[in-house]
Amino acid sequence: MYSLLLKDILVQKKQFLYGILLAAIYSFAFSSNNLGGVLTVFVFPYIFVLTAASYEEKNRSEIVLASLPIKRSLLVMEKYVSVFLFAALGAIEYIIVVGIGNLFQLPIKFSTLTIEPVLIFGLAMYYGIYLPLYFKFGYIKTRWVNFVMFFGLFFGVPSLVSAINKYGINFKILNPLITFFKNQSNTAVANELIIMALLIYALSYMISVKIYNSREF
């Protein structure tokens, strides 16, 4: 597992400069609505998981890996683990950007990044949907799916937050959900989100393993 994760990092060392630049842009651009840190954490997996997948397909290294005495379930698990590894690198990147901004006293109010359960839930939901499609169809056929999903998130979440702030509980569809969470403690809500994230991710992993075991190269 460690060697596979290290391989994904080493094959795209040059991409880290691009990722750092892009994440820094998000940090500044969305600092006013408290989404800079969240989007930065999402940017890193988006760039590096896809780039590693594209390199594997371009160099046909998937065939080599599948021919080695490595269980396909381990190859699948590495992709699922790498999502949160790259998300952690994104969090570190955001902390560095905020530190530099504060050091030079830039006139920007950065949002505070905390590893909220909703962030973990979002990552689990996003890649829980995408990765089975990737293992079924490969990188080329699913890159546009990921593109649409990411920019749907990019523009959809700020719009949803804005709409909730504007209309509040007047959303009839959301009322039961809002009431459900309001009647519970923060700890209970956090635990429920983490449990749901684990269940979604575990179910997605099992689906991906089944798909990848039956895939022929």
Side-chain angles (χ1 to χ4, degrees), residues 181-200:
F181 284 116
K182 273 191 171 181
N183 291 333
Q184 300 180 65
S185 67
N186 290 337
T187 302
V189 173
N191 290 335
E192 287 165 0
L193 285 175
I194 293 294
I195 291 172
M196 282 192 288
L198 290 174
L199 290 175
I200 290 169

Side-chain angles (χ1 to χ4, degrees), residues 33 40 165:
N33 54 11
T40 301
N165 288 334

Side-chain angles (χ1 to χ4, degrees), residues 49-68:
V49 172
L50 262 69
T51 303
S54 69
Y55 283 172
E56 287 180 359
E57 190 153 313
K58 179 182 178 182
N59 299 313
R60 302 181 69 80
S61 56
E62 280 185 316
I63 299 174
V64 176
L65 290 172
S67 66
L68 295 174

Side-chain angles (χ1 to χ4, degrees), residues 73-120:
S73 58
L74 186 62
L75 297 175
V76 173
M77 182 176 290
E78 184 270 335
K79 292 298 181 195
Y80 279 78
V81 173
S82 71
V83 168
F84 283 92
L85 171 66
F86 289 126
L89 292 176
I92 294 171
E93 149 73 4
Y94 184 73
I95 291 170
I96 292 173
V97 169
V98 172
I100 293 173
N102 292 333
L103 179 65
F104 290 97
Q105 298 184 339
L106 298 178
I108 296 174
K109 184 180 179 181
F110 291 102
S111 59
T112 301
L113 175 63
T114 56
I115 306 303
E116 300 284 355
V118 69
L119 181 57
I120 297 173

Side-chain angles (χ1 to χ4, degrees), residues 10-60:
L10 293 179
V11 298
Q12 51 184 334
K13 287 183 290 186
K14 294 181 180 178
Q15 291 290 332
F16 271 89
L17 290 177
Y18 173 66
I20 288 172
L21 176 62
L22 194 58
I25 292 172
Y26 286 155
S27 301
F28 284 96
F30 293 91
S31 59
S32 61
N33 54 11
N34 294 326
L35 288 174
V38 172
L39 287 175
T40 301
V41 171
F42 265 91
V43 164
F44 263 61
Y46 178 79
I47 293 174
F48 296 115
V49 172
L50 262 69
T51 303
S54 69
Y55 283 172
E56 287 180 359
E57 190 153 313
K58 179 182 178 182
N59 299 313
R60 302 181 69 80

